[in-house]
Amino acid sequence: MSGQRRQIVNPAGVALALLSAALFGASTPIAKLLLGTIDPWLLAGILYLASGIGLGAVMMLQRLRGVTRTEARLTGSDLPWLVGAVLAGGVVGPVLLMFGLASTQASTAALLLNLEGLATMVIAWTVFRENVDRRLLIGAAAILAGALLVSWRGGPAGVGPGALAIAGACLAWGVDNNLTRKLSAADPVQIAAIKGLVAGPINLVLAFWQGAAPPGAALLAGAAVVGFVGYGISLALFVLALRHLGAARTGAYFSIAPFVGAVLGVAILHDPVTLQLAAAAILMGIGVWLHITEAHEHEHLHEAMAHDHAHVHDEHHRHPHGQNDPAGEPHSHWHGHARMIHRHPHYPDLHHRHSH
């Protein structure tokens, strides 16, 4: 059983989540540098708007080049989930993060961002009823313990307001991640682009209303690059990972993001390497390891269903094609799944959201 525990059930989903985490984690210390000269609220708006514009340009370029569309489009029924995700993750989350970063060391803030994975997991388990076992709960407890340790100032000061703001951002992103899970069958680039194009201008308007001054061209360009890579591309990869792994497990893999940010914070900003920071990193590392080495296998039922998403013809896709259905794989079209019972290792992806 110990060997089975270390089996990676969905390597593609894991790779997508880890790459998404690395890109976002790297953006944290760079955003900290920019906060010295750019208003926090204004920076949040620039980051998201740049991600939306960049991803929109990618979609337009694909269309001009005649690239075959393999992803499903968003529909009207997706709108409530999309609005909630944009408000929580595109407005509330980044604003709280920027204000938190303004009074918190980059390496400490980066480790605190592990709370996003924890918030995502708790909401997925308690609200959306994703599967949870003792191993995942112990891992979540280790992550929380590390986050509390790294944020504690000691004495009457306790946890500082910057740490609380970052924790609030993580809660908002936890809500966002679970709402986005409802959209993960659709085009991830389209989802991420819409989030950026809506959340960015809202934050910019609020920042200028509060009297923020526009940055110079060089700073603006730097922030735009960080936004496109660390928020836009990272978010698109995260949505794809949600499709493969579900919200709780994607949140667990995404928890490596703070470690990337903490390392860069020490290397670039010369943040001190303290015993407190090292102990918190060890606790969080144990928690992440417990999550990513999980194995989940049992006999389960697939109820009959029909939906639209990008797919190849694998064990779960054995449907016939009509004349108007696209050729080649992967492709996207409306298709049905017959009722089926079988057993294999799996995560709560698009086809494994059954009860336990």
mmCIF file of all heavy atoms in Angstrom, residues 206-256:
data_model
loop_
_atom_site.group_PDB
_atom_site.id
_atom_site.type_symbol
_atom_site.label_atom_id
_atom_site.label_comp_id
_atom_site.label_asym_id
_atom_site.label_seq_id
_atom_site.Cartn_x
_atom_site.Cartn_y
_atom_site.Cartn_z
ATOM 1 N N LEU A 206 -11.361 52.071 -8.884
ATOM 2 C CA LEU A 206 -11.365 52.279 -7.434
ATOM 3 C C LEU A 206 -10.051 52.908 -6.959
ATOM 4 O O LEU A 206 -10.043 53.767 -6.072
ATOM 5 C CB LEU A 206 -11.598 50.941 -6.723
ATOM 6 C CG LEU A 206 -12.994 50.331 -6.904
ATOM 7 C CD1 LEU A 206 -13.051 48.941 -6.298
ATOM 8 C CD2 LEU A 206 -14.061 51.220 -6.283
ATOM 9 N N ALA A 207 -8.934 52.500 -7.567
ATOM 10 C CA ALA A 207 -7.631 53.045 -7.176
ATOM 11 C C ALA A 207 -7.531 54.522 -7.526
ATOM 12 O O ALA A 207 -7.088 55.342 -6.692
ATOM 13 C CB ALA A 207 -6.520 52.258 -7.869
ATOM 14 N N PHE A 208 -7.933 54.884 -8.737
ATOM 15 C CA PHE A 208 -7.860 56.297 -9.135
ATOM 16 C C PHE A 208 -8.849 57.146 -8.342
ATOM 17 O O PHE A 208 -8.593 58.311 -8.040
ATOM 18 C CB PHE A 208 -8.115 56.434 -10.637
ATOM 19 C CG PHE A 208 -6.956 55.971 -11.482
ATOM 20 C CD1 PHE A 208 -7.157 55.065 -12.518
ATOM 21 C CD2 PHE A 208 -5.667 56.424 -11.252
ATOM 22 C CE1 PHE A 208 -6.096 54.624 -13.308
ATOM 23 C CE2 PHE A 208 -4.598 55.996 -12.026
ATOM 24 C CZ PHE A 208 -4.809 55.094 -13.049
ATOM 25 N N TRP A 209 -9.994 56.535 -7.983
ATOM 26 C CA TRP A 209 -10.980 57.242 -7.162
ATOM 27 C C TRP A 209 -10.401 57.560 -5.783
ATOM 28 O O TRP A 209 -10.720 58.582 -5.184
ATOM 29 C CB TRP A 209 -12.233 56.384 -7.031
ATOM 30 C CG TRP A 209 -13.330 57.017 -6.219
ATOM 31 C CD1 TRP A 209 -13.995 58.183 -6.482
ATOM 32 C CD2 TRP A 209 -13.875 56.517 -5.001
ATOM 33 N NE1 TRP A 209 -14.923 58.437 -5.510
ATOM 34 C CE2 TRP A 209 -14.883 57.428 -4.587
ATOM 35 C CE3 TRP A 209 -13.636 55.379 -4.225
ATOM 36 C CZ2 TRP A 209 -15.617 57.238 -3.420
ATOM 37 C CZ3 TRP A 209 -14.372 55.188 -3.071
ATOM 38 C CH2 TRP A 209 -15.352 56.115 -2.681
ATOM 39 N N GLN A 210 -9.504 56.688 -5.300
ATOM 40 C CA GLN A 210 -8.847 56.908 -4.020
ATOM 41 C C GLN A 210 -7.625 57.820 -4.138
ATOM 42 O O GLN A 210 -6.931 58.076 -3.147
ATOM 43 C CB GLN A 210 -8.414 55.559 -3.421
ATOM 44 C CG GLN A 210 -9.567 54.670 -2.992
ATOM 45 C CD GLN A 210 -10.281 55.201 -1.766
ATOM 46 O OE1 GLN A 210 -9.687 55.893 -0.934
ATOM 47 N NE2 GLN A 210 -11.570 54.903 -1.638
ATOM 48 N N GLY A 211 -7.328 58.309 -5.347
ATOM 49 C CA GLY A 211 -6.248 59.266 -5.530
ATOM 50 C C GLY A 211 -4.911 58.686 -5.933
ATOM 51 O O GLY A 211 -3.890 59.366 -5.833
ATOM 52 N N ALA A 212 -4.875 57.443 -6.409
ATOM 53 C CA ALA A 212 -3.616 56.821 -6.818
ATOM 54 C C ALA A 212 -3.047 57.527 -8.046
ATOM 55 O O ALA A 212 -3.797 57.941 -8.944
ATOM 56 C CB ALA A 212 -3.830 55.342 -7.124
ATOM 57 N N ALA A 213 -1.727 57.654 -8.096
ATOM 58 C CA ALA A 213 -1.059 58.287 -9.231
ATOM 59 C C ALA A 213 -0.610 57.217 -10.221
ATOM 60 O O ALA A 213 -0.111 56.158 -9.817
ATOM 61 C CB ALA A 213 0.147 59.085 -8.753
ATOM 62 N N PRO A 214 -0.783 57.459 -11.532
ATOM 63 C CA PRO A 214 -0.363 56.466 -12.528
ATOM 64 C C PRO A 214 1.157 56.297 -12.529
ATOM 65 O O PRO A 214 1.895 57.271 -12.346
ATOM 66 C CB PRO A 214 -0.867 57.053 -13.850
ATOM 67 C CG PRO A 214 -1.032 58.507 -13.596
ATOM 68 C CD PRO A 214 -1.407 58.638 -12.152
ATOM 69 N N PRO A 215 1.653 55.081 -12.721
ATOM 70 C CA PRO A 215 3.112 54.849 -12.728
ATOM 71 C C PRO A 215 3.732 55.253 -14.057
ATOM 72 O O PRO A 215 3.023 55.478 -15.055
ATOM 73 C CB PRO A 215 3.209 53.333 -12.531
ATOM 74 C CG PRO A 215 1.968 52.802 -13.169
ATOM 75 C CD PRO A 215 0.893 53.840 -12.913
ATOM 76 N N GLY A 216 5.051 55.326 -14.090
ATOM 77 C CA GLY A 216 5.755 55.609 -15.333
ATOM 78 C C GLY A 216 5.672 54.437 -16.296
ATOM 79 O O GLY A 216 5.252 53.335 -15.932
ATOM 80 N N ALA A 217 6.109 54.693 -17.543
ATOM 81 C CA ALA A 217 5.991 53.677 -18.594
ATOM 82 C C ALA A 217 6.767 52.405 -18.265
ATOM 83 O O ALA A 217 6.279 51.288 -18.492
ATOM 84 C CB ALA A 217 6.469 54.257 -19.920
ATOM 85 N N ALA A 218 7.974 52.550 -17.712
ATOM 86 C CA ALA A 218 8.802 51.374 -17.418
ATOM 87 C C ALA A 218 8.161 50.518 -16.331
ATOM 88 O O ALA A 218 8.104 49.283 -16.438
ATOM 89 C CB ALA A 218 10.204 51.812 -16.994
ATOM 90 N N LEU A 219 7.664 51.158 -15.259
ATOM 91 C CA LEU A 219 7.003 50.418 -14.188
ATOM 92 C C LEU A 219 5.723 49.760 -14.685
ATOM 93 O O LEU A 219 5.403 48.622 -14.313
ATOM 94 C CB LEU A 219 6.698 51.352 -13.019
ATOM 95 C CG LEU A 219 7.877 51.781 -12.154
ATOM 96 C CD1 LEU A 219 7.439 52.838 -11.148
ATOM 97 C CD2 LEU A 219 8.457 50.575 -11.417
ATOM 98 N N LEU A 220 4.995 50.470 -15.519
ATOM 99 C CA LEU A 220 3.753 49.924 -16.073
ATOM 100 C C LEU A 220 4.030 48.679 -16.911
ATOM 101 O O LEU A 220 3.324 47.666 -16.802
ATOM 102 C CB LEU A 220 3.045 50.984 -16.913
ATOM 103 C CG LEU A 220 1.712 50.577 -17.553
ATOM 104 C CD1 LEU A 220 0.696 50.223 -16.481
ATOM 105 C CD2 LEU A 220 1.175 51.718 -18.429
ATOM 106 N N ALA A 221 5.076 48.759 -17.726
ATOM 107 C CA ALA A 221 5.435 47.612 -18.564
ATOM 108 C C ALA A 221 5.857 46.424 -17.696
ATOM 109 O O ALA A 221 5.476 45.276 -17.970
ATOM 110 C CB ALA A 221 6.563 47.993 -19.516
ATOM 111 N N GLY A 222 6.635 46.679 -16.644
ATOM 112 C CA GLY A 222 7.063 45.602 -15.752
ATOM 113 C C GLY A 222 5.889 44.937 -15.059
ATOM 114 O O GLY A 222 5.806 43.705 -14.981
ATOM 115 N N ALA A 223 4.953 45.758 -14.564
ATOM 116 C CA ALA A 223 3.768 45.214 -13.900
ATOM 117 C C ALA A 223 2.908 44.424 -14.875
ATOM 118 O O ALA A 223 2.314 43.400 -14.522
ATOM 119 C CB ALA A 223 2.958 46.346 -13.284
ATOM 120 N N ALA A 224 2.841 44.891 -16.132
ATOM 121 C CA ALA A 224 2.043 44.196 -17.142
ATOM 122 C C ALA A 224 2.597 42.795 -17.425
ATOM 123 O O ALA A 224 1.844 41.827 -17.562
ATOM 124 C CB ALA A 224 1.993 45.016 -18.423
ATOM 125 N N VAL A 225 3.913 42.688 -17.490
ATOM 126 C CA VAL A 225 4.537 41.375 -17.732
ATOM 127 C C VAL A 225 4.246 40.438 -16.560
ATOM 128 O O VAL A 225 3.896 39.264 -16.755
ATOM 129 C CB VAL A 225 6.054 41.530 -17.948
ATOM 130 C CG1 VAL A 225 6.728 40.154 -17.987
ATOM 131 C CG2 VAL A 225 6.329 42.284 -19.239
ATOM 132 N N VAL A 226 4.396 40.952 -15.336
ATOM 133 C CA VAL A 226 4.102 40.141 -14.151
ATOM 134 C C VAL A 226 2.642 39.692 -14.167
ATOM 135 O O VAL A 226 2.325 38.533 -13.868
ATOM 136 C CB VAL A 226 4.402 40.933 -12.858
ATOM 137 C CG1 VAL A 226 3.946 40.149 -11.628
ATOM 138 C CG2 VAL A 226 5.881 41.237 -12.756
ATOM 139 N N GLY A 227 1.745 40.593 -14.531
ATOM 140 C CA GLY A 227 0.323 40.252 -14.573
ATOM 141 C C GLY A 227 0.002 39.189 -15.602
ATOM 142 O O GLY A 227 -0.740 38.243 -15.326
ATOM 143 N N PHE A 228 0.576 39.320 -16.803
ATOM 144 C CA PHE A 228 0.290 38.357 -17.870
ATOM 145 C C PHE A 228 0.794 36.964 -17.510
ATOM 146 O O PHE A 228 0.071 35.969 -17.669
ATOM 147 C CB PHE A 228 0.922 38.832 -19.180
ATOM 148 C CG PHE A 228 0.794 37.836 -20.300
ATOM 149 C CD1 PHE A 228 -0.454 37.385 -20.713
ATOM 150 C CD2 PHE A 228 1.923 37.347 -20.937
ATOM 151 C CE1 PHE A 228 -0.576 36.456 -21.745
ATOM 152 C CE2 PHE A 228 1.823 36.423 -21.972
ATOM 153 C CZ PHE A 228 0.560 35.976 -22.373
ATOM 154 N N VAL A 229 2.022 36.885 -16.997
ATOM 155 C CA VAL A 229 2.622 35.570 -16.699
ATOM 156 C C VAL A 229 2.145 35.037 -15.354
ATOM 157 O O VAL A 229 1.662 33.901 -15.253
ATOM 158 C CB VAL A 229 4.160 35.656 -16.724
ATOM 159 C CG1 VAL A 229 4.768 34.311 -16.337
ATOM 160 C CG2 VAL A 229 4.649 36.094 -18.093
ATOM 161 N N GLY A 230 2.284 35.856 -14.288
ATOM 162 C CA GLY A 230 2.012 35.381 -12.938
ATOM 163 C C GLY A 230 0.542 35.269 -12.590
ATOM 164 O O GLY A 230 0.178 34.551 -11.647
ATOM 165 N N TYR A 231 -0.307 35.983 -13.338
ATOM 166 C CA TYR A 231 -1.740 35.924 -13.074
ATOM 167 C C TYR A 231 -2.497 35.311 -14.258
ATOM 168 O O TYR A 231 -3.310 34.402 -14.067
ATOM 169 C CB TYR A 231 -2.281 37.326 -12.771
ATOM 170 C CG TYR A 231 -1.945 37.801 -11.378
ATOM 171 C CD1 TYR A 231 -0.635 38.096 -11.019
ATOM 172 C CD2 TYR A 231 -2.918 37.948 -10.409
ATOM 173 C CE1 TYR A 231 -0.310 38.510 -9.740
ATOM 174 C CE2 TYR A 231 -2.611 38.368 -9.120
ATOM 175 C CZ TYR A 231 -1.298 38.647 -8.787
ATOM 176 O OH TYR A 231 -0.976 39.043 -7.517
ATOM 177 N N GLY A 232 -2.238 35.777 -15.472
ATOM 178 C CA GLY A 232 -2.980 35.286 -16.633
ATOM 179 C C GLY A 232 -2.660 33.848 -16.997
ATOM 180 O O GLY A 232 -3.534 32.967 -16.953
ATOM 181 N N ILE A 233 -1.410 33.574 -17.360
ATOM 182 C CA ILE A 233 -1.020 32.218 -17.748
ATOM 183 C C ILE A 233 -1.190 31.268 -16.565
ATOM 184 O O ILE A 233 -1.687 30.141 -16.717
ATOM 185 C CB ILE A 233 0.432 32.198 -18.259
ATOM 186 C CG1 ILE A 233 0.545 33.025 -19.547
ATOM 187 C CG2 ILE A 233 0.889 30.763 -18.518
ATOM 188 C CD1 ILE A 233 1.960 33.124 -20.087
ATOM 189 N N SER A 234 -0.808 31.715 -15.379
ATOM 190 C CA SER A 234 -0.950 30.886 -14.188
ATOM 191 C C SER A 234 -2.412 30.499 -13.960
ATOM 192 O O SER A 234 -2.722 29.341 -13.651
ATOM 193 C CB SER A 234 -0.410 31.627 -12.964
ATOM 194 O OG SER A 234 -0.651 30.898 -11.785
ATOM 195 N N LEU A 235 -3.336 31.441 -14.117
ATOM 196 C CA LEU A 235 -4.752 31.158 -13.894
ATOM 197 C C LEU A 235 -5.299 30.189 -14.936
ATOM 198 O O LEU A 235 -6.072 29.283 -14.606
ATOM 199 C CB LEU A 235 -5.557 32.463 -13.908
ATOM 200 C CG LEU A 235 -7.068 32.316 -13.733
ATOM 201 C CD1 LEU A 235 -7.406 31.548 -12.453
ATOM 202 C CD2 LEU A 235 -7.749 33.679 -13.737
ATOM 203 N N ALA A 236 -4.914 30.358 -16.196
ATOM 204 C CA ALA A 236 -5.378 29.435 -17.234
ATOM 205 C C ALA A 236 -4.917 28.011 -16.934
ATOM 206 O O ALA A 236 -5.683 27.043 -17.081
ATOM 207 C CB ALA A 236 -4.864 29.888 -18.596
ATOM 208 N N LEU A 237 -3.667 27.861 -16.497
ATOM 209 C CA LEU A 237 -3.159 26.544 -16.128
ATOM 210 C C LEU A 237 -3.892 25.996 -14.907
ATOM 211 O O LEU A 237 -4.168 24.787 -14.818
ATOM 212 C CB LEU A 237 -1.660 26.624 -15.837
ATOM 213 C CG LEU A 237 -0.755 26.968 -17.022
ATOM 214 C CD1 LEU A 237 0.670 27.213 -16.544
ATOM 215 C CD2 LEU A 237 -0.772 25.858 -18.062
ATOM 216 N N PHE A 238 -4.236 26.873 -13.982
ATOM 217 C CA PHE A 238 -4.952 26.450 -12.776
ATOM 218 C C PHE A 238 -6.332 25.907 -13.123
ATOM 219 O O PHE A 238 -6.774 24.895 -12.563
ATOM 220 C CB PHE A 238 -5.070 27.630 -11.810
ATOM 221 C CG PHE A 238 -5.624 27.271 -10.459
ATOM 222 C CD1 PHE A 238 -4.788 26.853 -9.443
ATOM 223 C CD2 PHE A 238 -6.978 27.348 -10.205
ATOM 224 C CE1 PHE A 238 -5.287 26.514 -8.185
ATOM 225 C CE2 PHE A 238 -7.500 27.009 -8.957
ATOM 226 C CZ PHE A 238 -6.645 26.596 -7.944
ATOM 227 N N VAL A 239 -7.029 26.575 -14.043
ATOM 228 C CA VAL A 239 -8.362 26.107 -14.449
ATOM 229 C C VAL A 239 -8.265 24.725 -15.091
ATOM 230 O O VAL A 239 -9.101 23.847 -14.839
ATOM 231 C CB VAL A 239 -9.025 27.112 -15.414
ATOM 232 C CG1 VAL A 239 -10.356 26.568 -15.937
ATOM 233 C CG2 VAL A 239 -9.240 28.452 -14.724
ATOM 234 N N LEU A 240 -7.242 24.532 -15.926
ATOM 235 C CA LEU A 240 -7.039 23.205 -16.517
ATOM 236 C C LEU A 240 -6.785 22.149 -15.441
ATOM 237 O O LEU A 240 -7.290 21.025 -15.519
ATOM 238 C CB LEU A 240 -5.859 23.242 -17.489
ATOM 239 C CG LEU A 240 -6.150 23.704 -18.916
ATOM 240 C CD1 LEU A 240 -4.850 23.815 -19.697
ATOM 241 C CD2 LEU A 240 -7.113 22.758 -19.619
ATOM 242 N N ALA A 241 -6.008 22.507 -14.418
ATOM 243 C CA ALA A 241 -5.741 21.567 -13.332
ATOM 244 C C ALA A 241 -7.020 21.244 -12.570
ATOM 245 O O ALA A 241 -7.235 20.094 -12.165
ATOM 246 C CB ALA A 241 -4.686 22.149 -12.392
ATOM 247 N N LEU A 242 -7.887 22.237 -12.364
ATOM 248 C CA LEU A 242 -9.173 21.997 -11.712
ATOM 249 C C LEU A 242 -9.974 20.935 -12.458
ATOM 250 O O LEU A 242 -10.640 20.099 -11.848
ATOM 251 C CB LEU A 242 -9.991 23.286 -11.649
ATOM 252 C CG LEU A 242 -9.581 24.350 -10.638
ATOM 253 C CD1 LEU A 242 -10.390 25.612 -10.865
ATOM 254 C CD2 LEU A 242 -9.787 23.853 -9.212
ATOM 255 N N ARG A 243 -9.911 20.972 -13.769
ATOM 256 C CA ARG A 243 -10.633 20.006 -14.593
ATOM 257 C C ARG A 243 -10.155 18.593 -14.310
ATOM 258 O O ARG A 243 -10.941 17.646 -14.282
ATOM 259 C CB ARG A 243 -10.424 20.342 -16.074
ATOM 260 C CG ARG A 243 -11.102 19.392 -17.049
ATOM 261 C CD ARG A 243 -10.734 19.730 -18.481
ATOM 262 N NE ARG A 243 -11.107 21.093 -18.836
ATOM 263 C CZ ARG A 243 -10.796 21.665 -19.995
ATOM 264 N NH1 ARG A 243 -10.077 21.005 -20.883
ATOM 265 N NH2 ARG A 243 -11.167 22.885 -20.253
ATOM 266 N N HIS A 244 -8.849 18.430 -14.087
ATOM 267 C CA HIS A 244 -8.266 17.104 -13.902
ATOM 268 C C HIS A 244 -8.303 16.618 -12.458
ATOM 269 O O HIS A 244 -8.406 15.415 -12.202
ATOM 270 C CB HIS A 244 -6.801 17.105 -14.363
ATOM 271 C CG HIS A 244 -6.629 17.243 -15.829
ATOM 272 N ND1 HIS A 244 -6.909 16.233 -16.718
ATOM 273 C CD2 HIS A 244 -6.205 18.287 -16.595
ATOM 274 C CE1 HIS A 244 -6.662 16.631 -17.952
ATOM 275 N NE2 HIS A 244 -6.224 17.881 -17.903
ATOM 276 N N LEU A 245 -8.185 17.554 -11.480
ATOM 277 C CA LEU A 245 -7.932 17.159 -10.101
ATOM 278 C C LEU A 245 -9.024 17.525 -9.114
ATOM 279 O O LEU A 245 -9.036 17.003 -7.999
ATOM 280 C CB LEU A 245 -6.619 17.793 -9.606
ATOM 281 C CG LEU A 245 -5.370 17.570 -10.447
ATOM 282 C CD1 LEU A 245 -4.202 18.339 -9.857
ATOM 283 C CD2 LEU A 245 -5.040 16.091 -10.539
ATOM 284 N N GLY A 246 -9.939 18.434 -9.477
ATOM 285 C CA GLY A 246 -10.873 18.962 -8.505
ATOM 286 C C GLY A 246 -10.251 20.111 -7.725
ATOM 287 O O GLY A 246 -9.050 20.361 -7.787
ATOM 288 N N ALA A 247 -11.079 20.823 -6.953
ATOM 289 C CA ALA A 247 -10.620 22.036 -6.286
ATOM 290 C C ALA A 247 -9.688 21.757 -5.108
ATOM 291 O O ALA A 247 -8.655 22.411 -4.949
ATOM 292 C CB ALA A 247 -11.822 22.849 -5.807
ATOM 293 N N ALA A 248 -10.039 20.786 -4.261
ATOM 294 C CA ALA A 248 -9.239 20.547 -3.057
ATOM 295 C C ALA A 248 -7.821 20.107 -3.399
ATOM 296 O O ALA A 248 -6.846 20.612 -2.848
ATOM 297 C CB ALA A 248 -9.918 19.501 -2.177
ATOM 298 N N ARG A 249 -7.687 19.172 -4.318
ATOM 299 C CA ARG A 249 -6.364 18.652 -4.640
ATOM 300 C C ARG A 249 -5.554 19.638 -5.476
ATOM 301 O O ARG A 249 -4.341 19.744 -5.309
ATOM 302 C CB ARG A 249 -6.504 17.295 -5.321
ATOM 303 C CG ARG A 249 -6.889 16.203 -4.329
ATOM 304 C CD ARG A 249 -7.660 15.078 -4.966
ATOM 305 N NE ARG A 249 -8.044 14.080 -3.966
ATOM 306 C CZ ARG A 249 -9.131 14.181 -3.194
ATOM 307 N NH1 ARG A 249 -9.924 15.229 -3.293
ATOM 308 N NH2 ARG A 249 -9.420 13.235 -2.315
ATOM 309 N N THR A 250 -6.200 20.374 -6.355
ATOM 310 C CA THR A 250 -5.481 21.429 -7.083
ATOM 311 C C THR A 250 -4.967 22.472 -6.101
ATOM 312 O O THR A 250 -3.835 22.954 -6.222
ATOM 313 C CB THR A 250 -6.400 22.092 -8.124
ATOM 314 O OG1 THR A 250 -6.865 21.111 -9.039
ATOM 315 C CG2 THR A 250 -5.646 23.161 -8.905
ATOM 316 N N GLY A 251 -5.784 22.812 -5.105
ATOM 317 C CA GLY A 251 -5.337 23.748 -4.077
ATOM 318 C C GLY A 251 -4.136 23.229 -3.314
ATOM 319 O O GLY A 251 -3.239 23.986 -2.956
ATOM 320 N N ALA A 252 -4.102 21.915 -3.074
ATOM 321 C CA ALA A 252 -2.967 21.331 -2.360
ATOM 322 C C ALA A 252 -1.686 21.436 -3.179
ATOM 323 O O ALA A 252 -0.639 21.837 -2.671
ATOM 324 C CB ALA A 252 -3.260 19.863 -2.040
ATOM 325 N N TYR A 253 -1.751 21.074 -4.454
ATOM 326 C CA TYR A 253 -0.564 21.186 -5.315
ATOM 327 C C TYR A 253 -0.144 22.647 -5.467
ATOM 328 O O TYR A 253 1.046 22.956 -5.525
ATOM 329 C CB TYR A 253 -0.851 20.587 -6.697
ATOM 330 C CG TYR A 253 -0.836 19.088 -6.724
ATOM 331 C CD1 TYR A 253 -2.008 18.365 -6.612
ATOM 332 C CD2 TYR A 253 0.355 18.389 -6.849
ATOM 333 C CE1 TYR A 253 -2.002 16.980 -6.626
ATOM 334 C CE2 TYR A 253 0.379 17.006 -6.867
ATOM 335 C CZ TYR A 253 -0.795 16.307 -6.755
ATOM 336 O OH TYR A 253 -0.784 14.939 -6.764
ATOM 337 N N PHE A 254 -1.124 23.541 -5.534
ATOM 338 C CA PHE A 254 -0.821 24.961 -5.716
ATOM 339 C C PHE A 254 -0.092 25.531 -4.501
ATOM 340 O O PHE A 254 0.496 26.611 -4.576
ATOM 341 C CB PHE A 254 -2.116 25.738 -5.955
ATOM 342 C CG PHE A 254 -1.906 27.123 -6.507
ATOM 343 C CD1 PHE A 254 -1.584 27.317 -7.840
ATOM 344 C CD2 PHE A 254 -2.042 28.242 -5.693
ATOM 345 C CE1 PHE A 254 -1.391 28.589 -8.349
ATOM 346 C CE2 PHE A 254 -1.854 29.514 -6.194
ATOM 347 C CZ PHE A 254 -1.523 29.688 -7.532
ATOM 348 N N SER A 255 -0.112 24.789 -3.394
ATOM 349 C CA SER A 255 0.538 25.270 -2.179
ATOM 350 C C SER A 255 2.048 25.375 -2.293
ATOM 351 O O SER A 255 2.693 25.904 -1.386
ATOM 352 C CB SER A 255 0.178 24.355 -0.992
ATOM 353 O OG SER A 255 -1.202 24.451 -0.701
ATOM 354 N N ILE A 256 2.637 24.886 -3.387
ATOM 355 C CA ILE A 256 4.082 25.103 -3.547
ATOM 356 C C ILE A 256 4.388 26.537 -3.953
ATOM 357 O O ILE A 256 5.537 26.962 -3.866
ATOM 358 C CB ILE A 256 4.700 24.136 -4.578
ATOM 359 C CG1 ILE A 256 4.350 24.539 -6.002
ATOM 360 C CG2 ILE A 256 4.340 22.698 -4.317
ATOM 361 C CD1 ILE A 256 5.375 24.122 -7.013
#
